[in-house]
Amino acid sequence: MAQAYMAETGNGGSEREPSGSGLGRRLAELCRDRGIWRRGIATAALAVVLALVMIFHAQLPNDIGNLGSLTETFLPWLGLFVPVLVACAAFRRSATALIACLLPAVVWVNLFGGLVFGKSGSGGDLVVATHNVDAANPDPRATAESVARSGADVLALTELKGSAVPSYEKALAGTYKYHAVEGTVGVWSRYPLAASAPVDIRMGWTRAMRTTVESPRGPIAVYVAHLPSVRVKLNAGFTANQRDNSAGALGAALAAEPLGKVVLLGDLNGTMNDRSLREVTSQMRSTQGAAGEGFGFSWPAAFPMARIDQIMVRGMRPEASWTLPRTASDHLPVAARVTVGK
């Protein structure tokens, strides 16, 4: 009788491909693919350029369209290019590009990784807030009531329209006993104010002021400023010359301040990374950078992309910093809690 013979497999059945051999085979194919190191050179080069821009952003020239300041204003957003480059590297199956992508990723984490997680604490004996209320604000009263609910002891408002000032005064009167308005900026406080006066920031009209807040822990010099707006123009780039001149004047006023405890509130139309604000930022400490919740972007309110509304202190310790709920303005209000001390 004829018999059929089958190859022995060791388990009495037909031979099966070992589990995981598909992945192993693909890895082996990639190892044998000599092009894996030659492909994606352009992607790798772009990754290196991106890393260099983030590392040396302070050296980018401002001579042509203030390119350096423009880059620094939106510097955190350069991190969005990293996953795009990683996707390109994976699509090209390029080991060179994938390794190169690690460089901008590490640089971004080094620059901004600390902002991803909140650093706020529970201490503090003074809450301050600032808000560019927008001269075209259709509902000043609701805006004022919203920021008053922040619990701020000292509140600064900028871009105050003259005809709207009475509305803000009326809406805030129940929360703040003291206030002073100079030009288009103002301060509302739970504590007495003294020596309120305009600060000349070389604009031709008043958009900055100084006052002394007589807090329970001693006098505090409070500056409120609304620096000139910047523009991005196709034919001129990032135009910010007037803003930069005003920043220099504000920096000089801060440097001459005799009191040891100083707070700067307002819309500076620039970020802490912007070199053009160095005469201000070099003297003060950002509450957002020291104790903020996330990036704290404040503008534009509909889709915040940059923090141009700032709270800075000198002679005091930041404990927490955050953005407040949106109002009818095109900016978000921002607030901070600080320790004044003795």
Side-chain angles (χ1 to χ4, degrees):
M1 182 175 183
Q3 294 182 341
Y5 291 89
M6 297 180 66
E8 294 283 342
T9 63
N11 58 5
S14 59
E15 183 176 1
R16 292 184 179 181
E17 191 174 0
S19 176
S21 64
L23 176 60
R25 186 169 59 251
R26 284 191 289 272
L27 290 174
E29 289 174 356
L30 286 175
C31 291
R32 289 193 299 269
D33 182 5
R34 297 180 180 179
I36 197 172
W37 299 104
R38 293 195 295 266
R39 289 192 299 269
I41 298 300
T43 302
L46 288 174
V48 172
V49 169
L50 179 61
L52 292 175
V53 168
M54 289 191 285
I55 294 172
F56 299 107
H57 62 86
Q59 279 68 52
L60 291 176
N62 253 352
D63 298 334
I64 303 175
N66 285 288
L67 177 63
S69 287
L70 176 61
T71 302
E72 288 166 335
T73 297
F74 300 102
L75 194 61
W77 292 94
L78 293 183
L80 292 179
F81 289 104
V82 175
V84 174
L85 291 172
V86 169
C88 291
F91 178 77
R92 293 282 293 149
R93 295 199 305 169
S94 169
T96 301
L98 282 172
I99 293 173
C101 287
L102 291 174
L103 183 58
V106 169
V107 172
W108 190 92
V109 169
N110 181 63
L111 289 174
F112 304 109
L115 296 176
V116 175
F117 304 101
K119 303 182 290 296
S120 61
S122 58
D125 47 32
L126 182 76
V127 177
V128 297
T130 183
H131 188 25
N132 179 324
V133 296
D134 187 359
N137 192 314
D139 197 348
R141 183 177 182 84
T143 295
E145 291 173 347
S146 176
V147 292
R149 287 193 292 270
S150 67
D153 300 302
V154 178
L155 169 65
L157 301 183
T158 63
E159 204 169 300
L160 288 167
K161 187 178 180 180
S163 60
V165 169
S167 296
Y168 289 106
E169 291 175 330
K170 184 177 180 179
L172 295 171
T175 306
Y176 301 101
K177 186 177 179 180
Y178 310 95
H179 83 280
V181 175
E182 299 287 347
T184 62
V185 299
V187 175
W188 277 258
S189 173
R190 299 181 191 271
Y191 309 122
L193 302 178
S196 300
V199 173
D200 182 10
I201 55 172
R202 304 172 189 166
M203 292 191 64
W205 70 95
T206 302
R207 286 195 6 171
M209 66 174 289
R210 179 211 176 274
T211 191
T212 300
V213 173
E214 301 290 352
S215 81
R217 295 184 177 271
I220 303 170
V222 173
Y223 285 78
V224 182
H226 182 195
L227 298 187
S229 300
V230 297
R231 297 287 185 268
V232 180
K233 300 179 180 179
L234 292 177
N235 61 342
F238 189 67
T239 58
N241 292 336
Q242 190 177 21
R243 191 278 310 269
D244 299 348
N245 292 335
S246 291
L250 178 60
L254 290 167
E257 173 56 50
L259 292 181
K261 301 181 189 302
V262 186
V263 178
L264 171 61
L265 306 162
D267 175 6
L268 302 190
N269 271 305
T271 68
M272 294 297 294
N273 293 316
D274 191 338
R275 75 196 64 182
S276 297
L277 298 182
R278 194 170 296 154
E279 292 188 55
V280 174
T281 58
S282 63
Q283 304 181 52
M284 310 291 289
R285 188 180 186 190
S286 166
T287 59
Q288 183 66 27
E293 292 287 344
F295 288 94
F297 295 148
S298 63
W299 177 89
F303 187 82
M305 298 182 65
R307 185 182 177 89
I308 62 176
D309 300 276
Q310 305 292 353
I311 299 176
M312 302 184 207
V313 298
R314 186 170 72 207
M316 294 178 281
R317 185 174 69 250
E319 303 289 357
S321 189
W322 63 95
T323 57
L324 296 171
R326 185 180 178 183
T327 69
S329 172
D330 58 342
H331 290 241
L332 293 179
V334 298
R337 189 173 62 253
V338 301
T339 294
V340 178
K342 296 181 180 179

